[in-house]
Amino acid sequence: MSACKIQELAKDNKELCILDLCFGLGYNTAVAINEALKTNKNCFLNIFALESELEALNKIKELQVPQEIEPIVDKLAKITEVEADTSFLFPLFSMRESVPFSTGGFELELILGDALMTIDIFDDEIFDAIFFDPFSPKTCPDLWQEDFIKSVVTKAKPGAFISTYSCARIVKDNFSKAGCEIFQGPALGRRDGGVLAQKQ
């Protein structure tokens, strides 16, 4: 997640606050934890994960990942084990667990429910970085609308980066309308990189 400047943030800060919107298999969070602690072993990450699909959470333990992040993914898989019968608690079921390492570490709060509603539980301008990974604009249009993207951007600190894999024109336009400068994110094996939006 170098796109969100996690290494740079960790170098200059002992504590980071990150939002992982549409947490899914937790890969973005795992990489961010690894990159931050590799840069600054004393860094502590407060991570808030929004997710609505229990099926995705329960597949984290099956994720094939690079060896260096395996221990983190194993911890995420244990934290996010959610029984199917908790679905009646939607749209606001949350659980929090802290995972200390020898020096730094992370705390993950998993919040289950529709992100259109759960985004409103956060104060404005608290996140140092945001991973924004809903399904594509065609598959999940509500989470890519101008009003929702504005809501997400208000939760970021000025200067914070918001990364997403999508490079669709509507995504660039809506982040721009929300007051962000637009950059191209890493291509990750594709021809075009996603959107990297920096809140102004």
Side-chain angles (χ1 to χ4, degrees):
M1 277 300 108
S2 58
C4 272
K5 312 294 183 185
I6 295 299
Q7 290 179 322
E8 291 89 336
L9 287 167
K11 183 178 179 181
D12 298 328
N13 297 278
K14 287 191 175 180
E15 190 167 350
L16 298 177
C17 190
I18 295 173
L19 175 63
D20 192 340
L21 196 155
C22 296
F23 181 75
L25 297 173
Y27 192 83
N28 289 337
T29 284
V31 173
I33 294 167
N34 184 62
E35 293 299 307
L37 295 179
K38 196 163 58 174
T39 303
N40 179 1
K41 65 182 181 179
N42 295 308
C43 190
F44 193 89
L45 288 79
N46 295 293
I47 301 162
F48 295 85
L50 304 186
E51 183 52 64
S52 63
E53 298 291 334
L54 288 178
E55 188 176 342
L57 297 174
N58 291 326
K59 287 185 177 178
I60 292 175
K61 56 182 173 291
E62 302 171 13
L63 189 61
Q64 299 297 310
V65 297
Q67 189 172 1
E68 68 173 344
I69 66 169
E70 275 184 7
I72 296 169
V73 171
D74 288 345
K75 287 178 170 58
L76 293 178
K78 289 184 175 69
I79 295 171
T80 58
E81 282 180 353
V82 182
E83 297 297 329
D85 61 6
T86 60
S87 59
F88 72 92
L89 293 167
F90 280 29
L92 281 175
F93 168 71
S94 69
M95 55 189 187
R96 176 189 293 265
E97 187 160 340
S98 186
V99 181
F101 291 98
S102 57
T103 46
F106 70 92
E107 183 169 83
L108 176 73
E109 181 165 0
L110 172 65
I111 301 164
L112 298 178
D114 185 342
L116 291 170
M117 292 182 282
T118 56
I119 191 65
D120 291 330
I121 69 176
F122 301 111
D123 293 332
D124 291 348
E125 298 189 349
I126 63 170
F127 293 110
D128 297 290
I130 296 176
F131 306 140
F132 186 83
D133 278 335
F135 287 115
S136 71
K138 286 184 178 180
T139 305
C140 189
D142 289 349
L143 296 184
W144 299 93
Q145 295 302 313
E146 182 179 345
D147 287 346
F148 181 67
I149 286 179
K150 281 182 178 176
S151 295
V152 172
V153 171
T154 63
K155 309 306 178 185
K157 293 178 180 177
F161 284 94
I162 303 165
S163 67
T164 182
Y165 65 87
S166 177
C167 58
R169 171 50 58 186
I170 189 174
V171 177
K172 296 175 182 176
D173 288 347
N174 286 344
F175 273 109
S176 182
K177 289 174 186 175
C180 294
E181 186 173 356
I182 306 303
F183 304 92
Q184 181 172 307
L188 300 176
R190 301 180 305 169
R191 186 184 66 181
D192 298 315
V195 168
L196 183 60
Q198 184 176 29
K199 182 175 179 177
Q200 299 304 296

